[in-house]
Amino acid sequence: MATTTDAGTTDDALGYEQARDELIDVVRRLEAGGTTLEESLALWERGEALAKVCRRWLEGARARLDAALAEEEAEEAAEATG
């Protein structure tokens, strides 16, 4: 289930940089303190959701890099044998 942000977009629509920047803001707000327990819990939950978005982006990037490297290695192996 995708979470809707204050701006009205879903977490699934967030880019990596946008999610990362919002996560940084959440961490700063938590570290600064001065929030109620309820606000702190909401911030923590938002941070967890944002971390999940960032993790999905990074895993996708890693998969693309691995695929590109495997393709390059296969091409080099084909050239070496052919």
Side-chain angles (χ1 to χ4, degrees), residues 26-44:
V26 165
V27 170
R28 284 185 186 143
R29 290 171 61 190
L30 283 169
E31 289 178 342
T35 58
T36 66
L37 177 60
E38 189 64 30
E39 291 168 334
S40 294
L41 287 172
L43 284 169
W44 179 80

Side-chain angles (χ1 to χ4, degrees), residues 3-67:
T3 305
T4 302
T5 66
D6 292 339
T9 59
T10 63
D11 287 346
D12 292 338
L14 288 176
Y16 172 78
E17 290 80 6
Q18 186 179 4
R20 181 203 59 211
D21 291 347
E22 187 179 343
L23 179 56
I24 290 168
D25 183 56
V26 165
V27 170
R28 284 185 186 143
R29 290 171 61 190
L30 283 169
E31 289 178 342
T35 58
T36 66
L37 177 60
E38 189 64 30
E39 291 168 334
S40 294
L41 287 172
L43 284 169
W44 179 80
E45 289 171 343
R46 182 66 185 144
E48 287 292 319
L50 291 164
K52 193 177 293 185
V53 170
C54 290
R55 194 168 26 255
R56 278 196 306 261
W57 274 105
L58 292 172
E59 288 169 355
R62 178 176 298 274
R64 289 174 61 189
L65 288 171
D66 289 346

